[in-house]
């Protein structure tokens, strides 16, 4: 099995660590990883969320993208004899602003080797709100707007389905990021309908297969005290493998010490098939 961390961040992440990428990569090498994908958050359309301070933390400014790509290309060359570095981004599904994403991919497609495509935002009464900022923010701005957890979860998965369709059109490899991110604050929210989650996840399987899109087996939920659960359930991973849908472990590291966390959990699942 290829030991691959397929979802990681850098000092270009304004809600993560300012540690240099070298520290992340050297930890990956020390842990025996053979491939390492760098998938930073790019810029967002101005005013995508109303909170300016939060907006400034969500993605790098547009003018930094060139610096980011050059930096990762340099790291790729520096460590080429020790580990394979893959140059990527974590794109956001921008409902109603696909043009922004299309322009970004067109501009940087010549260096962009792969993409994690994620749903972090849902529309509400007066704009877009994060599903993973704080539990209070989610309750006040999304749950109150949609009226119930069941409705909110359905809208979230509707957007996941749209994301898969968009990801399938990309010219590079793409995976759907942390499919169950809506569960990040599950311990602080009204109870979730597990049958609903199972049914909505089942619906994704033929979409992933038809569109040739993989799955980011994201373990970051284990690190979050309000979740303490993986973002991709074991049964779903195994079903993807049966259908030849690519699954790739993702630490979603925002600090060097998070690289490789919970790899053993993932390895045990994919090795037991």
């Amino acid at each position: 099995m290829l030991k691959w961390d397929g979802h990681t961040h850098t000092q270009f992440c304004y809600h993560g660590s300012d540690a240099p990428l070298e520290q992340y990569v050297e930890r990956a090498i020390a842990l025996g990883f053979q491939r390492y994908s760098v998938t930073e958050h790019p810029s967002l359309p101005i005013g995508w969320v109303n909170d300016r301070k939060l907006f400034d933390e969500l993605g790098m400014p547009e003018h930094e993208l060139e610096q980011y790509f050059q930096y990762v290309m340099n790291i790729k060359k520096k460590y080429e004899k020790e580990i394979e570095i893959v140059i990527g981004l974590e794109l956001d599904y921008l409902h109603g602003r696909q043009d922004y994403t299309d322009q970004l991919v067109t501009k940087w497609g010549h260096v962009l080797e792969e993409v994690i495509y994620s749903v972090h935002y849902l529309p509400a009464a007066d704009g877009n709100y994060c599903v993973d900022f704080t539990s209070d923010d989610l309750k006040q701005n999304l749950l109150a707007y949609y009226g119930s957890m069941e409705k909110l979860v359905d809208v979230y998965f509707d957007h996941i389905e749209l994301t898969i369709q968009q990801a399938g059109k990309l010219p590079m490899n793409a995976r759907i990021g942390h499919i169950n991110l809506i569960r990040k604050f599950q311990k602080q929210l009204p109870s979730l309908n597990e049958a609903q989650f199972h049914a909505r996840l089942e619906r994704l399987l033929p979409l992933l297969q038809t569109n040739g899109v993989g799955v980011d087996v994201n373990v970051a939920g284990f690190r979050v005290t309000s979740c303490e659960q993986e973002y991709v359930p074991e049964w779903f991973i195994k079903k993807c493998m049966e259908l030849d849908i690519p699954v790739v472990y993702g630490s979603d590291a925002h600090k060097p010490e998070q690289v490789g966390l919970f790899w053993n959990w993932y390895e045990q699942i994919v090795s037991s098939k």
Side-chain angles (χ1 to χ4, degrees):
M1 180 199 314
L2 180 71
K3 194 168 185 180
W4 176 10
D5 193 337
H7 187 156
T8 69
H9 294 276
T10 71
Q11 70 266 37
F12 286 86
C13 180
Y14 283 73
H15 56 270
S17 167
D18 61 0
L21 177 55
E22 286 91 336
Q23 290 185 20
Y24 291 79
V25 172
E26 287 171 9
R27 175 170 169 81
I29 293 168
L31 292 172
F33 281 88
Q34 300 158 283
R35 183 182 293 166
Y36 187 88
S37 298
V38 185
T39 54
E40 195 51 86
H41 300 284
S43 52
L44 294 166
I46 297 298
W48 184 248
V49 298
N50 294 327
D51 183 331
R52 184 54 197 248
K53 182 177 182 298
L54 175 60
F55 175 83
D56 289 341
E57 296 176 356
L58 294 175
M60 72 181 87
E62 194 167 341
H63 69 267
E64 287 189 358
L65 274 165
E66 183 173 4
Q67 182 184 352
Y68 163 75
F69 282 119
Q70 187 59 58
Y71 179 58
V72 181
M73 284 190 285
N74 291 341
I75 295 294
K76 181 183 180 80
K77 183 170 180 59
K78 178 179 179 179
Y79 291 97
E80 63 184 351
K81 294 183 180 178
E82 299 170 83
I83 192 170
E84 178 189 358
I85 303 291
V86 183
I87 303 170
L89 286 173
E90 182 176 8
L91 296 179
D92 290 294
Y93 175 68
L94 305 175
H95 195 64
R97 285 304 314 271
Q98 188 60 40
D99 62 302
Y100 187 89
T101 303
D102 290 344
Q103 289 169 18
L104 190 154
V105 172
T106 298
K107 183 174 182 178
W108 298 107
H110 64 290
V111 293
L112 190 55
E113 295 175 323
E114 70 175 16
V115 159
I116 301 289
Y117 217 144
S118 301
V119 175
H120 288 107
Y121 312 103
L122 293 178
D126 59 346
N128 299 294
Y129 288 90
C130 301
V131 301
D132 63 334
F133 178 37
T134 68
S135 60
D136 286 343
D137 183 74
L138 185 148
K139 291 174 188 174
Q140 292 166 14
N141 295 300
L142 290 175
L143 182 55
Y145 176 71
Y146 288 105
S148 71
M149 280 306 302
E150 286 79 6
K151 177 62 175 173
L152 177 58
V153 167
D154 269 336
V155 173
Y156 172 79
F157 277 105
D158 289 346
H159 281 227
I160 290 285
E161 292 180 1
L162 291 168
T163 304
I164 292 170
Q165 294 172 43
Q166 291 300 329
K169 298 174 184 177
L170 292 173
M172 66 287 296
N173 290 333
R175 295 186 294 282
I176 295 301
H178 36 57
I179 281 177
N180 270 352
L181 184 64
I182 194 69
R183 301 188 75 122
K184 180 175 180 178
F185 304 114
Q186 61 184 1
K187 293 187 176 183
Q188 300 165 349
L189 295 173
S191 60
L192 301 174
N193 183 331
E194 296 300 336
Q196 178 191 22
F197 268 88
H198 197 283
R200 291 308 305 249
L201 286 169
E202 284 273 9
R203 272 176 51 172
L204 299 182
L205 292 166
L207 270 178
L208 290 163
Q209 196 173 32
T210 301
N211 287 278
V213 175
V215 173
D216 163 43
V217 181
N218 194 293
V219 298
F222 282 126
R223 306 195 304 258
V224 181
T225 56
S226 58
C227 182
E228 294 184 329
Q229 186 180 40
E230 72 283 357
Y231 286 138
V232 184
E234 181 174 340
W235 71 265
F236 189 78
I237 298 169
K238 291 182 175 179
K239 194 67 177 177
C240 286
M241 293 172 68
E242 290 175 12
L243 298 172
D244 292 323
I245 297 166
V247 294
V248 179
Y249 160 87
S251 69
D252 205 349
H254 284 69
K255 302 175 183 178
E257 59 266 29
Q258 294 172 347
V259 172
L261 289 181
F262 306 106
W263 166 263
N264 290 342
W265 171 84
Y266 171 80
E267 183 181 39
Q268 185 175 17
I269 292 171
V270 297
S271 298
S272 64
K273 183 177 180 296

